[in-house]
Amino acid sequence: AQSFSKNFGLYNERVGNLCIVAKSSDVIACIRSQMEIICRTMWSNPSNHGARIVAKVLENKALTEDWKGQVNKMASRIKEMRQKMFNTLREKKTPGCWDHITRQIGMFSFTGLSAEQVKMMVEKYHVYMLSNGRISMAGVTSKNVEYIVDAMHESIHSCPADGRVGYTGKL
């Protein structure tokens, strides 16, 4: 399955596809029949705005190249923020192993912070993330990365998790 929600910024437009590979035409016919039933129960007349936008972009070489450039720019910025976060955590000698910050890919990162550490991040520093420590790297910028790292550093020292301080390298 593939979604274009993030790639094209088309949230709520149900744009994507599902590819299934099968060895026999009998299996394909059965799968198709089941998928049509599932799709019919989910929507009778799906929106088509998002699909039209994606088609327009992908059918035009100039628009496709522009889109690819924007996606690459965003991905590069997120990688840069991951590296800056990692470097700053290391420079501050924040306890724990932080290699996972740069090894992970995508718009989100598991920080390894405990629920108690996350609570402190939210309540004291107003740095928001899921209680399992998953943070949106798209929200980390060159202007706030040091503030976020300072908050992580303080939270780790103030709230040692499970008798340890910081991330151990195991998620």
Side-chain angles (χ1 to χ4, degrees):
Q2 183 179 21
S3 169
F4 295 113
S5 293
K6 291 178 187 167
N7 300 31
F8 278 90
L10 297 171
Y11 299 94
N12 201 34
E13 288 292 332
R14 298 182 298 208
V15 180
N17 62 45
L18 173 66
C19 299
I20 298 173
V21 178
K23 290 184 179 182
S24 77
S25 57
D26 290 342
V27 171
I28 292 171
C30 291
I31 292 171
R32 182 184 179 108
S33 170
Q34 291 302 304
M35 295 308 300
E36 287 173 351
I37 291 168
I38 291 168
C39 290
R40 175 62 68 185
T41 62
M42 289 174 48
W43 67 81
S44 181
N45 188 15
S47 58
N48 66 7
H49 299 96
R52 287 182 181 175
I53 292 168
V54 171
K56 186 108 173 151
V57 169
L58 296 180
E59 289 170 356
N60 181 300
K61 187 174 181 173
L63 291 176
T64 300
E65 291 307 311
D66 184 45
W67 169 71
K68 285 180 181 179
Q70 290 179 34
V71 170
N72 285 331
K73 185 176 180 180
M74 177 191 63
S76 295
R77 191 196 69 76
I78 289 173
K79 284 181 187 177
E80 185 181 322
M81 290 303 99
R82 286 180 179 280
Q83 191 64 54
K84 177 72 173 165
M85 182 179 276
F86 170 79
N87 292 345
T88 308
L89 284 162
R90 297 287 301 265
E91 288 166 10
K92 291 183 74 61
K93 299 186 180 351
T94 304
C97 172
W98 301 105
D99 295 345
H100 63 284
I101 301 272
T102 53
R103 282 198 320 263
Q104 294 173 11
I105 59 171
M107 292 177 62
F108 297 92
S109 181
F110 282 99
T111 59
L113 298 177
S114 70
E116 187 179 7
Q117 292 163 343
V118 169
K119 184 177 178 185
M120 184 174 177
M121 295 276 294
V122 170
E123 291 178 0
K124 185 172 181 180
Y125 299 100
H126 304 282
V127 174
Y128 300 96
M129 64 184 77
L130 297 179
S131 61
N132 64 3
R134 185 174 180 245
I135 190 170
S136 170
M137 291 305 297
V140 179
T141 69
S142 58
K143 292 181 180 177
N144 69 15
V145 66
E146 290 189 27
Y147 178 81
I148 292 169
V149 169
D150 288 344
M152 290 172 71
H153 185 83
E154 290 303 317
S155 297
I156 288 167
H157 280 288
S158 297
C159 308
D162 304 322
R164 63 179 169 84
V165 176
Y167 177 69
T168 63
K170 296 179 183 175
L171 290 173

